[in-house]
Amino acid sequence: MGILGWIVLGLVAGAIAKAILPGRQGGGWLITLVLGVVGAILGGWIGSLIFGGGLGDFFDLRTWLLSILGAIIVLLIYGAIAGRRSRV
């Protein structure tokens, strides 16, 4: 998968993760893109540890599910860090 595929996958996975998580998360589309790409990488790493295979092709269902799962994890971590900073 090329860099454009990673960007599209990250943006869509980040947007889906934001829609799944309750509450209001900060950040615009750039933060969503970065968190989504980081989440896709994290999801691929988790998939390679658990299932023995990471991210596959762009249109593979496992690729999307792992990317969304990784984006949710990264978004939760980001929300915990950003929430802690705003309260201080």
Side-chain angles (χ1 to χ4, degrees), residues 60-74:
D60 188 13
L61 181 62
R62 182 179 67 182
T63 298
W64 284 92
L65 293 177
L66 287 172
S67 297
I68 293 168
L69 174 69
I72 288 172
I73 293 169
V74 170

Side-chain angles (χ1 to χ4, degrees), residues 38-54:
V38 171
I41 293 169
L42 177 67
W45 181 71
I46 290 171
S48 66
L49 289 176
I50 294 174
F51 304 117

Side-chain angles (χ1 to χ4, degrees), residues 18 25-32 78:
K18 273 192 170 187
Q25 294 86 23
W29 67 271
L30 186 61
I31 296 295
T32 301
Y78 173 76

Side-chain angles (χ1 to χ4, degrees), residues 14-38:
I16 291 172
K18 273 192 170 187
I20 290 173
L21 288 177
R24 184 173 180 265
Q25 294 86 23
W29 67 271
L30 186 61
I31 296 295
T32 301
L33 175 67
V34 171
L35 293 177
V37 171
V38 171

Side-chain angles (χ1 to χ4, degrees), residues 1 7 15-16 19 27 80 88:
M1 188 168 20
I7 291 172
I16 291 172
V88 173

